Amino acid sequence: MAPTFIVMLGPPGAGKGTQAKQLAQRMNLVHVSTGDLFRDNLKNETELGVLAQQYMNKGELVPDDVTVRMVEERLSRPDCEEGAVLDGFPRTPAQAEALDDLLAEMGSAVKVVPYIKVPDDVLVERLSGRWMSPSGRVYHEKYNPPKVKWIDDIDGSQLYQREDDKPETVRHRIEVYNEQTSPLIAYYRDKGLLVEIDGTQSIELVTEDLTKAVEEA
Ligand code: ADP
Ligand code: ADP
């Protein structure tokens, strides 16, 4: 069977990561988050991590060529043979075109693009209450709290708040999204791949809508 590539679209804080992780698990696909990949590089102090950090801390996008090269390398690994759930990529029209080319080379194409829609004011609250586990699991102090405050449910590690989840940086990230990423809504709608999902619902209801959207595709 041809591999299945799903692109999760939506502003920062929409719930892409939360949903992408579950979706990938249910569909037996790999979850590829460019944010997580950059953060891993940062933790391991690689050259790529050092470069990316300058952009991430300011809430700017890492340049397209660097980002595309990283994704190309990730998708070429054997665990992506069946496909992947892409989270946080593409984020610019140039990245979307590069992804189309990359998948075409693999004899594949984007299958469906769930677009999780959430208004800006909700995003700020979501991101300022986001608690991260070093493993990449995502919690929210109010909407998805861990069993014990600041402790990961699964491996007991200490949760932290992302440096770029400060309100000033969040506001800038939303602007960057509106300017550079939101054109992808039309890009994928024109290709007939976009499915809009109301991201203001509870995590469980978003999961239900997302599952339906992917099954129908
Ligand atoms: P993204 O990957 O799109 O930036 P996340 O999945 O990291 O978004 O979610 C942002 C924050 O909002 C997290 O703290 C997460 O627990 C919380 N969250 C995700 N989905 C919902 C939802 N449907 N309702 C309330 N909070 C949510
Ligand atoms: P969020 O979950 O809030 O949407 P991410 O974890 O996806 O944020 O991304 C964090 C940061 O990593 C971004 O603000 C940006 O600096 C960088 N980044 C992630 N993905 C990309 C991408 N596709 N292109 C450029 N920069 C990216």
Side-chain angles (χ1 to χ4, degrees):
M1 219 177 72
T4 306
F5 289 96
I6 298 170
V7 168
M8 303 293 291
L9 193 60
K16 299 181 299 297
T18 302
Q19 298 294 337
K21 266 191 204 72
Q22 297 185 24
L23 181 67
Q25 221 164 31
R26 279 200 305 279
M27 296 191 62
N28 235 328
L29 294 174
V30 187
H31 171 219
V32 173
S33 154
T34 40
D36 287 350
L37 290 174
F38 285 130
R39 280 184 290 277
D40 284 346
N41 272 282
L42 214 134
K43 201 161 59 189
N44 297 327
E45 297 174 357
T46 69
E47 213 175 302
L48 174 62
V50 174
L51 174 92
Q53 184 175 32
Q54 307 164 32
Y55 297 94
M56 294 170 84
N57 283 350
K58 286 188 282 193
E60 301 277 347
L61 295 184
V62 180
D64 285 338
D65 56 337
V66 181
T67 306
V68 167
R69 244 180 291 136
M70 176 177 76
V71 171
E72 191 171 3
E73 190 281 322
R74 182 67 191 85
L75 295 186
S76 70
R77 289 193 222 158
D79 61 346
C80 291
E81 264 168 22
E82 306 289 313
V85 179
L86 299 177
D87 163 17
F89 181 90
R91 255 179 159 98
T92 63
Q95 292 182 13
E97 282 160 22
L99 177 65
D100 286 344
D101 293 346
L102 208 71
L103 295 185
E105 277 170 34
M106 297 168 72
S108 186
V110 174
K111 183 92 188 169
V112 59
V113 181
Y115 163 40
I116 308 184
K117 227 174 139 173
V118 176
D120 290 0
D121 53 329
V122 178
L123 299 175
V124 180
E125 200 205 355
R126 292 246 181 116
L127 294 177
S128 47
R130 172 158 71 180
W131 294 354
M132 300 285 295
S133 160
S135 66
R137 264 183 294 278
V138 187
Y139 296 86
H140 191 281
E141 60 175 344
K142 201 155 114 198
Y143 303 119
N144 184 23
K147 294 193 181 85
V148 181
K149 255 190 167 188
W150 295 107
I151 300 293
D152 183 85
D153 288 349
I154 309 292
D155 62 19
S157 54
Q158 183 79 35
L159 304 180
Y160 70 97
Q161 283 187 291
R162 269 168 51 176
E163 190 55 38
D164 58 345
D165 278 346
K166 297 193 291 272
E168 319 86 84
T169 321
V170 164
R171 273 188 285 274
H172 184 56
R173 281 160 60 207
I174 295 171
E175 280 168 17
V176 168
Y177 169 83
N178 286 328
E179 282 163 22
Q180 303 193 49
T181 309
S182 67
L184 297 185
I185 299 167
Y187 181 87
Y188 286 119
R189 186 180 286 134
D190 290 348
K191 290 180 181 282
L193 294 173
L194 196 82
V195 184
E196 282 191 28
I197 291 172
D198 175 6
T200 61
Q201 309 173 89
S202 68
I203 294 178
E204 293 72 21
L205 288 180
V206 174
T207 304
E208 272 183 33
D209 284 0
L210 177 66
T211 309
K212 260 185 252 158
V214 170
E215 276 170 5
E216 277 164 22

